Amino acid sequence: MAFISSGYNPDKPMENRITDIGPRKFDEFYPPVIAKNKGKWLYHEVLKPGVLVHVAESGDEIYTVRCGGARLMSTAHIREICDIAEKYCGGHLRFTTRNNIEFLLDKKDKVEPLIKDLESRKFDGGSFKFPVGGTGASITNIVHTQGWIHCHTPATDASGTVKATMDVLFDEFKQHRMPAKLRVSMACCLNMCGAVHCSDIAILGYHRKPPMLDHEYLDKMCEIPLAIAACPTAAIKPSKMDLPGGAKVNSVAVNDSRCMFCGNCYTMCPAMPLADKEGDGVVLMVGGKVSNRISTPKFSKVVVAFLPNEMPRWPEMTKTIRKIVDVYAASANKYERLGEWAERIGWERFFEKCELPFTHHLIDDFRDPAYYTWRQTTQFKF
Amino acid sequence: MAKHATPLLDQLESGPWPSFVSDLKQQAAKRAKNAEKIDFQIPADVVDDLLGLLELSFVDGVTHWKHGGIVGVFGYGGGVIGRYCDQPEKFPGVAHFHTMRVSQPAGKFYTAEYLRQLCDLWDLRGSGITNMHGSTGDIIFLGTTTPQLEEVFFELTHKFNQDLGGSGSNLRTPADCIGQARCEYACYDTQNLCHTLTNEYQDELHRPAFPYKFKFKFDGCPNCCVASIARADMSFIGTWKDDIKIDQEAVQAYIGGEIAPNANDHNGRDWGKFDIQKEVIKLCPTACMWMEGGKLKIDTRECNRCMHCINVMPRALRIGDDRGLSILAGAKAPILDGAQMGSLLVPFIPAEEPYDEIKEVIESVWDWWMEEGKNRERLGELIKRQGFQKLLEVTGIEPMPQHVKEPRSNPYIFWKEEEVEGGWTRDITEYRKHHQR
Ligand code: SF4
Ligand code: SF4
Ligand code: SF4
Ligand code: SF4
């Protein structure tokens, strides 16, 4: 391997330096039909799962074929997407917020050949490369975070849990038979760098053991006051420790019973790792939404406090998710989101119908908002 | 032959959903073969070692990435996230595996030509593994070594007219919904506002000067496809003030079953014949719709623009013409002090270039947060700590009932001295003349 210079001169970093130019301008990439009709779209229709048509005032149409994909994507895969876009769409494509790929076509007669092509492409292992679907009253792609592929704080894997879950929900990606759209999201720690706190169903990685303390290195590796200040429950205080060799060092002590395992201390201080095979696992939350449609946006609620990490396919987790989806699909009204349905029937009924045990972990005890989640009425169901 | 056996990951190759494991394997094989004879600038077996390390995590049930290291490109405080593996002897190909965030174009539209250029760059100077896209919205280049960071940045800026995105305590790369580019519900040009503000605030995006991260997200209407109301410190959500436009003939076509409701996207199941009373009028949260003489009526002043009726009958109902956006402030995920939804700050503001009024609101909020915010305190937490009234005070926005769901239920009002007639200074001697001890 010979080093190939880009032209950058490390001795003179400011020479010819270009900064603060921002992203490429969006309209460079618009397909012509979008450039022409932007802001003048009249209506849309979903022709079948994964296929949309938008009709403009001018009478122009744009057809969208949406397909799923893993957001962890190789350049080999992206090049294949580019080939397809060039073959059918004049090279135009886009990605959705939920990691779907959208091929944009200006003629209806290109739709079926494109779908046939997409559905025929499979990885060597047998999975589809470009399953078409994810529109309307379906379960679309899961938004998620990094997990064990790239992050230092996860309590579970992201790509693995997502693949296992989407395999179990695949039929719902391909069909419009949910009462309303159902959004699943995944974050591998409480940091939630992909927010999952307002999803119909959320998978959340969670630690259950307080940080270990690497006393010997703690003072060298971190700013102790920052680690202390990072703890939302004030569980950490400064402390002097005797090392086995007799040396005295500045370190910290953690009041374990005050710890809610958020990992903030570890974010500030690498000498306080939390991850643990038995301690870590997933929490399931349900009933959140971001849309203002009919009811106001809602937070997701914790309905399963903990499930262990069962590599490689998390069978108990996917079984529980499938069960919640099936019960919701069978009992909710048309247009009713999962959270709206649970509120209408009452959460006591939700646990009964979904056959989920209710444990003390599910009663909020974190600060003021907790009180507002207890029942201050005689209205409840047996 | 794969470099490492991956029996657990192999089980994620079956099943219908696209397998990231199969994709990683195809990339590893492609690099091993190197048919294009690329002079890879980082180890050719980087993807093999990534698979091996991930397999080890599947066995151990924990991550093998170390806490991030401080690496970056000269002059920027964000855009690069340092990453080192904690088993570098076994997996030298991923000993350094830094992330680069590449600022995505608004709306995430691309041409094949442009994506291929990025692939060429990333195959030469990185692992060839990406996220399309990261949770905040950037294109994520996953995995390269320290010496390549400046090289990638130089090529991005010189060859591709392309900058890095944000990370750390900065403005994070803003993201938007598809909006007017293809959506008939969009009340403003989300792409243009997103792009304009991203460029206007490049300094805030690249050079950390904030107490913590700060996110902008742009939704063209209250359907909130990019989840701005839940995820952005400032959410810009399109809205309108005048009548929903009604095409009565199309309403009849829905009633008559000629047009499928909700853009035909519930067609996988038999929900029975469309019933406008049950599916639209009764579900309207403000009960402001009714049928009269065969016509659909909406009392505009009572409508709260929830979008339901428009979503159900997009060919009959259209958003109004007096359009702008609402600004909400303070949404965030649970860390540190619990999750928060955005709170309505500006009910209506025009969304027209050069967006000066919007920038004024943003900058007044930033001034306050940068002055008062503690280390790692998100805007929403500062609003909770100092009060929503304080936010109104610093932005100069008049309080109005729209700001609250309900007025306070405790009378613990912190009156200010200047609000009370005669002020607070009183004379106890004078008082005692009339009131014995
Ligand atoms: S959610 Fe947490 S563990 Fe997962 S990628 Fe984000 S910060 Fe890392
Ligand atoms: S994990 Fe969170 S709660 Fe526990 S000690 Fe660390 S910062 Fe405090
Ligand atoms: S938020 Fe509204 S305008 Fe934007 S894409 Fe979604 S429905 Fe369309
Ligand atoms: S937008 Fe919502 S509130 Fe307004 S009329 Fe339609 S259903 Fe009713």
PDB file of all heavy atoms in Angstrom, chain B residues 244 284-286 288-289 298 303-309, ligand 4:
ATOM      1  N   ILE B 244     -59.454  24.965   5.071  1.00  0.00           N
ATOM      2  CA  ILE B 244     -59.100  23.771   4.306  1.00  0.00           C
ATOM      3  C   ILE B 244     -59.924  23.859   3.017  1.00  0.00           C
ATOM      4  O   ILE B 244     -61.124  24.151   3.060  1.00  0.00           O
ATOM      5  CB  ILE B 244     -59.468  22.501   5.104  1.00  0.00           C
ATOM      6  CG1 ILE B 244     -58.552  22.372   6.312  1.00  0.00           C
ATOM      7  CG2 ILE B 244     -59.424  21.258   4.214  1.00  0.00           C
ATOM      8  CD1 ILE B 244     -58.873  21.203   7.228  1.00  0.00           C
ATOM      9  N   CYS B 284     -62.797  13.568  13.975  1.00  0.00           N
ATOM     10  CA  CYS B 284     -62.226  14.920  14.049  1.00  0.00           C
ATOM     11  C   CYS B 284     -62.097  15.316  15.521  1.00  0.00           C
ATOM     12  O   CYS B 284     -63.080  15.317  16.248  1.00  0.00           O
ATOM     13  CB  CYS B 284     -63.134  15.905  13.303  1.00  0.00           C
ATOM     14  SG  CYS B 284     -62.734  17.623  13.642  1.00  0.00           S
ATOM     15  N   PRO B 285     -60.884  15.635  15.989  1.00  0.00           N
ATOM     16  CA  PRO B 285     -60.694  15.848  17.431  1.00  0.00           C
ATOM     17  C   PRO B 285     -61.421  17.077  17.959  1.00  0.00           C
ATOM     18  O   PRO B 285     -61.639  17.186  19.160  1.00  0.00           O
ATOM     19  CB  PRO B 285     -59.176  16.001  17.576  1.00  0.00           C
ATOM     20  CG  PRO B 285     -58.688  16.408  16.230  1.00  0.00           C
ATOM     21  CD  PRO B 285     -59.618  15.773  15.236  1.00  0.00           C
ATOM     22  N   THR B 286     -61.789  18.002  17.077  1.00  0.00           N
ATOM     23  CA  THR B 286     -62.455  19.212  17.569  1.00  0.00           C
ATOM     24  C   THR B 286     -63.936  19.234  17.196  1.00  0.00           C
ATOM     25  O   THR B 286     -64.614  20.226  17.453  1.00  0.00           O
ATOM     26  CB  THR B 286     -61.779  20.479  16.991  1.00  0.00           C
ATOM     27  OG1 THR B 286     -61.887  20.427  15.564  1.00  0.00           O
ATOM     28  CG2 THR B 286     -60.316  20.557  17.385  1.00  0.00           C
ATOM     29  N   CYS B 288     -65.440  19.719  14.464  1.00  0.00           N
ATOM     30  CA  CYS B 288     -65.743  20.948  13.736  1.00  0.00           C
ATOM     31  C   CYS B 288     -66.202  20.661  12.306  1.00  0.00           C
ATOM     32  O   CYS B 288     -66.162  21.544  11.457  1.00  0.00           O
ATOM     33  CB  CYS B 288     -64.530  21.878  13.754  1.00  0.00           C
ATOM     34  SG  CYS B 288     -63.156  21.271  12.791  1.00  0.00           S
ATOM     35  N   MET B 289     -66.591  19.422  12.025  1.00  0.00           N
ATOM     36  CA  MET B 289     -67.025  19.072  10.667  1.00  0.00           C
ATOM     37  C   MET B 289     -68.439  18.504  10.707  1.00  0.00           C
ATOM     38  O   MET B 289     -68.816  17.846  11.663  1.00  0.00           O
ATOM     39  CB  MET B 289     -66.140  17.975  10.070  1.00  0.00           C
ATOM     40  CG  MET B 289     -64.686  18.106  10.323  1.00  0.00           C
ATOM     41  SD  MET B 289     -63.808  16.712   9.589  1.00  0.00           S
ATOM     42  CE  MET B 289     -63.664  17.276   7.924  1.00  0.00           C
ATOM     43  N   ILE B 298     -66.664  22.649   7.221  1.00  0.00           N
ATOM     44  CA  ILE B 298     -65.653  22.706   8.289  1.00  0.00           C
ATOM     45  C   ILE B 298     -65.674  24.097   8.902  1.00  0.00           C
ATOM     46  O   ILE B 298     -65.647  25.099   8.182  1.00  0.00           O
ATOM     47  CB  ILE B 298     -64.239  22.420   7.741  1.00  0.00           C
ATOM     48  CG1 ILE B 298     -64.155  21.017   7.130  1.00  0.00           C
ATOM     49  CG2 ILE B 298     -63.191  22.572   8.854  1.00  0.00           C
ATOM     50  CD1 ILE B 298     -62.819  20.720   6.456  1.00  0.00           C
ATOM     51  N   CYS B 303     -60.999  24.276  13.848  1.00  0.00           N
ATOM     52  CA  CYS B 303     -60.097  23.202  13.400  1.00  0.00           C
ATOM     53  C   CYS B 303     -58.714  23.401  14.020  1.00  0.00           C
ATOM     54  O   CYS B 303     -58.199  24.513  14.045  1.00  0.00           O
ATOM     55  CB  CYS B 303     -60.015  23.250  11.879  1.00  0.00           C
ATOM     56  SG  CYS B 303     -58.640  22.308  11.194  1.00  0.00           S
ATOM     57  N   ASN B 304     -58.105  22.342  14.516  1.00  0.00           N
ATOM     58  CA  ASN B 304     -56.736  22.485  15.058  1.00  0.00           C
ATOM     59  C   ASN B 304     -55.683  21.915  14.106  1.00  0.00           C
ATOM     60  O   ASN B 304     -54.547  21.671  14.497  1.00  0.00           O
ATOM     61  CB  ASN B 304     -56.623  21.887  16.469  1.00  0.00           C
ATOM     62  CG  ASN B 304     -56.830  20.385  16.477  1.00  0.00           C
ATOM     63  OD1 ASN B 304     -56.774  19.731  15.431  1.00  0.00           O
ATOM     64  ND2 ASN B 304     -57.061  19.817  17.642  1.00  0.00           N
ATOM     65  N   ARG B 305     -56.071  21.682  12.869  1.00  0.00           N
ATOM     66  CA  ARG B 305     -55.178  21.236  11.787  1.00  0.00           C
ATOM     67  C   ARG B 305     -54.439  19.938  12.134  1.00  0.00           C
ATOM     68  O   ARG B 305     -53.249  19.812  11.951  1.00  0.00           O
ATOM     69  CB  ARG B 305     -54.184  22.352  11.402  1.00  0.00           C
ATOM     70  CG  ARG B 305     -54.882  23.626  10.953  1.00  0.00           C
ATOM     71  CD  ARG B 305     -53.965  24.808  10.911  1.00  0.00           C
ATOM     72  NE  ARG B 305     -53.146  24.930  12.076  1.00  0.00           N
ATOM     73  CZ  ARG B 305     -53.571  25.302  13.283  1.00  0.00           C
ATOM     74  NH1 ARG B 305     -54.829  25.651  13.467  1.00  0.00           N
ATOM     75  NH2 ARG B 305     -52.728  25.335  14.298  1.00  0.00           N
ATOM     76  N   CYS B 306     -55.215  18.966  12.597  1.00  0.00           N
ATOM     77  CA  CYS B 306     -54.594  17.699  12.984  1.00  0.00           C
ATOM     78  C   CYS B 306     -54.236  16.862  11.769  1.00  0.00           C
ATOM     79  O   CYS B 306     -53.521  15.872  11.896  1.00  0.00           O
ATOM     80  CB  CYS B 306     -55.521  16.922  13.909  1.00  0.00           C
ATOM     81  SG  CYS B 306     -56.786  15.984  13.048  1.00  0.00           S
ATOM     82  N   MET B 307     -54.769  17.220  10.591  1.00  0.00           N
ATOM     83  CA  MET B 307     -54.455  16.543   9.323  1.00  0.00           C
ATOM     84  C   MET B 307     -55.300  15.288   9.059  1.00  0.00           C
ATOM     85  O   MET B 307     -55.225  14.714   7.981  1.00  0.00           O
ATOM     86  CB  MET B 307     -52.979  16.132   9.196  1.00  0.00           C
ATOM     87  CG  MET B 307     -51.975  17.239   9.149  1.00  0.00           C
ATOM     88  SD  MET B 307     -52.165  18.374   7.768  1.00  0.00           S
ATOM     89  CE  MET B 307     -51.796  17.353   6.337  1.00  0.00           C
ATOM     90  N   HIS B 308     -56.106  14.852  10.041  1.00  0.00           N
ATOM     91  CA  HIS B 308     -56.781  13.572   9.833  1.00  0.00           C
ATOM     92  C   HIS B 308     -57.666  13.563   8.587  1.00  0.00           C
ATOM     93  O   HIS B 308     -57.545  12.696   7.723  1.00  0.00           O
ATOM     94  CB  HIS B 308     -57.615  13.177  11.063  1.00  0.00           C
ATOM     95  CG  HIS B 308     -58.431  11.940  10.828  1.00  0.00           C
ATOM     96  ND1 HIS B 308     -57.851  10.725  10.568  1.00  0.00           N
ATOM     97  CD2 HIS B 308     -59.772  11.733  10.753  1.00  0.00           C
ATOM     98  CE1 HIS B 308     -58.795   9.818  10.371  1.00  0.00           C
ATOM     99  NE2 HIS B 308     -59.972  10.406  10.467  1.00  0.00           N
ATOM    100  N   CYS B 309     -58.549  14.556   8.479  1.00  0.00           N
ATOM    101  CA  CYS B 309     -59.498  14.535   7.360  1.00  0.00           C
ATOM    102  C   CYS B 309     -58.757  14.652   6.024  1.00  0.00           C
ATOM    103  O   CYS B 309     -59.142  14.016   5.030  1.00  0.00           O
ATOM    104  CB  CYS B 309     -60.532  15.649   7.508  1.00  0.00           C
ATOM    105  SG  CYS B 309     -59.815  17.296   7.653  1.00  0.00           S
TER     106      CYS B 309
HETATM  107  S1  SF4 C   4     -57.773  18.824  10.212  1.00  0.00           S
HETATM  108 FE1  SF4 C   4     -58.386  17.634  12.002  1.00  0.00          FE
HETATM  109  S2  SF4 C   4     -59.333  19.172  13.336  1.00  0.00           S
HETATM  110 FE2  SF4 C   4     -59.287  20.058  11.289  1.00  0.00          FE
HETATM  111  S3  SF4 C   4     -61.233  19.528  10.384  1.00  0.00           S
HETATM  112 FE3  SF4 C   4     -59.785  17.960   9.758  1.00  0.00          FE
HETATM  113  S4  SF4 C   4     -60.067  16.346  11.280  1.00  0.00           S
HETATM  114 FE4  SF4 C   4     -60.976  18.199  12.139  1.00  0.00          FE
END
